[in-house]
Amino acid sequence: MKRRARKGQSARDNLRWAKVQANGTYAELGHTEGRQLLTTVFRSLPSQPPREVFSDQQLFDGTMELIRHGLLEVWFALDGTTLHVRSDFRGAA
């Protein structure tokens, strides 16, 4: 028997996933826990070149632009102290 998951929750992993919305830039969000969490989420995404070559602001603003233009979707979930991240890149064909 299949169980239906609540909105924002995956039946497979029983985590509550939040989708990242393109709201604001690194500077606009200021020094908040939300900006820090999103920066950590973005740093965990696979990348070429490696994420380490970008400053936090470059990484944050660039990733938000991809989300804003519909080229990237990012979801994250917290399980205790473990951060889980999923993404779907819809690059230009």
Side-chain angles (χ1 to χ4, degrees), residues 62-74 87-93:
T63 305
M64 280 297 194
E65 277 298 304
L66 292 173
I67 293 169
R68 186 173 295 112
H69 292 290
L71 298 173
L72 177 66
E73 291 183 339
V74 178
S87 63
D88 183 17
F89 181 71
R90 301 168 190 255

Side-chain angles (χ1 to χ4, degrees), residues 34-52:
R35 184 182 82 179
Q36 184 178 354
L37 174 62
L38 286 176
T39 302
T40 302
V41 167
F42 296 160
R43 286 235 174 255
S44 70
L45 294 170
S47 168
Q48 256 326 315
R51 298 278 182 208
E52 293 77 31

Side-chain angles (χ1 to χ4, degrees), residues 6-46:
R6 292 188 310 241
K7 185 176 182 179
Q9 184 173 9
S10 169
R12 175 183 74 226
D13 54 26
N14 210 26
L15 294 172
R16 293 191 53 93
W17 292 89
K19 185 175 180 181
V20 175
Q21 302 295 320
N23 294 329
T25 64
Y26 188 84
E28 290 171 345
L29 291 177
H31 296 286
T32 63
E33 289 180 9
R35 184 182 82 179
Q36 184 178 354
L37 174 62
L38 286 176
T39 302
T40 302
V41 167
F42 296 160
R43 286 235 174 255
S44 70
L45 294 170

